[in-house]
Amino acid sequence: MVQFKIRSGKKAGTTFVTRRFPVLIGRSSVADLQIQDDGVWDQHFQVDFHAVDGFILKPRPDALVTVNGEPARQIVLRNGDVIEIGSLKMQFWLRETRQAGLRVREWLTWAAVAVISLGQIGLIYWFLP
């Protein structure tokens, strides 16, 4: 999962999380992330995911996009990259992971250890004269 943290503009402080690709960002109503700031085109850029290359930012023709202060035509995004479109700055992040609860597995493991230990103690007393 990927998230875009809006750093400036009308939606400053918000975070957009996506689970599906491609992600279209722009002013249009068909955009996945709609941004109404100055200098943002209807369909400003798109982010695709490729298993080999990673997350690829593809600006629309003639749309100006800078990544980390450098103009970008097509670029592989890395965690923490700052994307600028028009008057807006956003940051590309991989979403924080959540660890699944392991209480049931841990409890079952300790129960198995206890059963095996009691079984061994029982066998020792059984075979003693």
Side-chain angles (χ1 to χ4, degrees), residues 16 21 24 41 48 77 98 118:
F16 172 74
F21 292 94
L24 181 62
W41 291 29
D48 290 319
L77 291 173
R98 291 184 335 196
L118 290 174

Side-chain angles (χ1 to χ4, degrees), residues 31-123:
D32 298 306
L33 174 56
Q34 295 176 3
I35 300 172
Q36 301 298 324
D37 289 8
D38 295 335
V40 177
W41 291 29
D42 284 344
Q43 297 179 359
H44 208 101
F45 70 90
Q46 178 174 312
V47 176
D48 290 319
F49 176 71
H50 298 280
V52 175
D53 300 324
F55 299 99
I56 299 176
L57 182 141
K58 297 178 184 176
R60 297 297 183 193
D62 299 328
L64 178 62
V65 177
T66 61
V67 177
N68 298 326
E70 298 291 324
R73 277 287 105 213
Q74 182 171 334
I75 189 168
V76 175
L77 291 173
R78 306 214 187 290
N79 198 30
D81 281 350
V82 176
I83 303 167
E84 296 179 48
I85 58 173
S87 63
L88 178 96
K89 284 186 181 182
M90 67 176 74
Q91 198 162 20
F92 173 83
W93 284 100
L94 298 176
R95 187 160 181 207
E96 293 87 14
T97 57
R98 291 184 335 196
Q99 182 175 351
L102 300 174
R103 286 187 180 178
V104 173
R105 288 184 186 173
E106 186 176 345
W107 186 85
L108 288 173
T109 301
W110 284 111
V113 168
V115 167
I116 291 170
S117 297
L118 290 174
Q120 289 178 345
I121 292 171
L123 285 173

